[in-house]
Amino acid sequence: MLKRIISALLCGCLMTVTALTSSCQSANNDSDTPDNQSDDKVSALRQEFLAEADKVVVNEDSVTFTDASGDGSTEITISKNPKKVVNLYASFTTLWYEAGGEVAGCIGGDSSVALYNEYIGRDITQDEGMTIVATSSSGKKWDTETIIALEPDLIICSTAMSGYSTIQAPAEAAGIPIIAVSYNDFADYLKWFKVFCNLTGHPELWESVALKTLDEVVNVLASCPTENTPTVFAMFSGADSLQANTSNTVVGQMITMMNATNITDSWGDTSGAERLDINLETVFASDPDIIVVQCHAGTEAAMQQVDELYGANPVWQSLTAVKEGKVYYLEKSLFHNKPNSRFAEAYEKLADILYPDA
């Protein structure tokens, strides 16, 4: 009898322990779920942003990567530590300095000088030995003979504004390596920073600057809501016209990455297109919650341009975003110029606009 009682007690204790263990495990699994989902999202974002940077091959004496000179599949190899560099695009010059480099020749002009002061901390056009090779990033205005006469070890240029097409043949004829850069989003920033910091001989900056910025950007994106997200109309205020930004632009992609809906992406076939002409009736049909304006020439100029074109237009005035005062002008330094390591700051400012209550 005593044995049966003891056996029954032991069995009951074992069942109780098993139930408690199962309950604790279930509770732990439930509590881990949000964290696991968050970790998965962060990991996915990191992988997405690093996809192109991971393709960059760092060799002992050189760096191998694809640039924008061909169809995007042709690799080029550039020797490390070039002694004399000419950079023909101001935003890429600031990135080169951020990655530990210096240049012997650069673009001058008021807008470039403003960029150097803000991102490098000084007007590098005044540095000893600096040659101002042009006052515009437009290749059509360059004196290529002046650039080639400097005998640089490396030329860095953009594919925009006829830059690469202008300098390519003269550089190749002179045997000067040339990098054609296309930089449209945060993933491009990471790729080019990895290329540049290894070419300048400062690979340590990859972790302390680029990956730090990546962590900050991912943290902002991971905190963005996924429900009740706004619809957004993103305009580009150019020198002569207003256009709509698709998600193929920096601002358009940022909006999409933050889970908002860029209404321009629904305007027919936008594949490959960066900007489209604006039809206010089409905008009215979507009636976006928020309007953001990317400013090419500064906030005041953009506000004046919008007012002159649309201020008296009844369709514009009837838009919900206009009536509710949700038209925002994005500062040039973060949303038109390449923000480089300030990408996290740009994402944070946009998050404040899209999700002010989050």
Side-chain angles (χ1 to χ4, degrees), residues 52-60 62-66 75-78 80 194-195 198:
E52 291 303 314
D54 287 343
K55 297 177 184 178
V56 176
V57 179
V58 180
N59 309 302
E60 184 177 353
S62 63
V63 181
T64 299
F65 54 93
T66 57
E75 291 187 337
I76 65 171
T77 298
I78 302 294
K80 291 181 178 179
K194 186 173 182 179
V195 170
N198 281 284

Side-chain angles (χ1 to χ4, degrees), residues 98-101 193-194 196-212:
E98 187 178 283
F193 192 99
K194 186 173 182 179
F196 286 0
C197 75
N198 281 284
L199 287 178
T200 64
H202 292 280
E204 74 281 358
L205 295 177
W206 171 245
E207 184 170 345
S208 64
V209 177
L211 293 186
K212 178 177 178 292

Side-chain angles (χ1 to χ4, degrees), residues 31-319:
S31 64
D32 284 346
T33 299
D35 290 338
N36 289 338
Q37 290 176 345
S38 178
D39 289 344
D40 290 343
K41 184 175 182 179
V42 167
S43 178
L45 286 169
R46 288 179 63 87
Q47 289 179 3
E48 181 177 351
F49 283 133
L50 287 171
E52 291 303 314
D54 287 343
K55 297 177 184 178
V56 176
V57 179
V58 180
N59 309 302
E60 184 177 353
D61 300 316
S62 63
V63 181
T64 299
F65 54 93
T66 57
D67 72 349
S69 59
D71 59 3
S73 62
T74 303
E75 291 187 337
I76 65 171
T77 298
I78 302 294
S79 298
K80 291 181 178 179
N81 303 310
K83 301 301 181 185
K84 184 184 287 188
V85 177
V86 170
N87 201 312
L88 301 174
Y89 201 75
S91 288
F92 301 159
T93 300
T94 63
L95 179 55
W96 182 258
Y97 274 71
E98 187 178 283
E102 293 185 354
V103 300
C106 68
I107 299 295
D110 292 343
S111 61
S112 294
V113 168
L115 204 61
Y116 302 147
N117 279 320
E118 181 165 4
Y119 282 88
I120 299 175
R122 68 179 190 278
D123 176 8
I124 63 171
T125 65
Q126 301 301 311
D127 287 359
E128 183 178 356
M130 180 67 71
T131 299
I132 301 173
V133 296
T135 56
S136 169
S137 294
S138 174
K140 296 177 180 179
K141 299 180 180 180
W142 294 344
D143 181 352
T144 57
E145 292 184 1
T146 299
I147 299 171
I148 300 302
L150 284 175
E151 298 183 342
D153 300 308
L154 177 65
I155 293 175
I156 300 172
C157 68
S158 172
T159 53
M161 303 174 71
S162 302
Y164 179 70
S165 60
T166 297
I167 198 65
Q168 175 191 13
E172 290 180 350
I176 302 170
I178 180 171
I179 300 176
V181 179
S182 177
Y183 173 172
N184 297 313
D185 54 30
F186 181 57
D188 287 335
Y189 162 72
L190 293 173
K191 169 189 174 178
W192 289 114
F193 192 99
K194 186 173 182 179
V195 170
F196 286 0
C197 75
N198 281 284
L199 287 178
T200 64
H202 292 280
E204 74 281 358
L205 295 177
W206 171 245
E207 184 170 345
S208 64
V209 177
L211 293 186
K212 178 177 178 292
T213 302
L214 172 62
D215 288 339
E216 293 170 347
V217 167
V218 166
N219 285 338
V220 174
L221 293 178
S223 67
C224 289
T226 57
E227 298 179 349
N228 301 317
T229 57
T231 55
V232 183
F233 177 43
M235 293 197 297
F236 173 74
S237 172
D240 304 313
S241 64
L242 285 169
Q243 291 182 293
N245 278 325
T246 71
S247 290
N248 295 317
T249 61
V250 174
V251 172
Q253 193 203 49
M254 289 175 72
I255 291 168
T256 301
M257 292 296 293
M258 301 182 83
N259 305 324
T261 300
N262 183 354
I263 67 167
T264 307
D265 291 339
S266 65
W267 294 1
D269 184 11
T270 61
S271 59
E274 292 189 353
R275 297 187 175 96
L276 302 175
D277 292 334
I278 297 172
N279 184 316
L280 276 186
E281 297 293 340
T282 305
V283 177
F284 178 77
S286 297
D287 197 19
D289 301 313
I290 294 169
I291 297 173
V292 296
V293 184
Q294 180 185 358
C295 308
H296 172 268
T299 301
E300 291 186 6
M303 292 178 70
Q304 181 178 350
Q305 186 181 46
V306 171
D307 185 61
E308 289 176 352
L309 288 176
Y310 298 142
N313 190 307
V315 177
W316 174 260
Q317 294 298 334
S318 68
L319 294 173

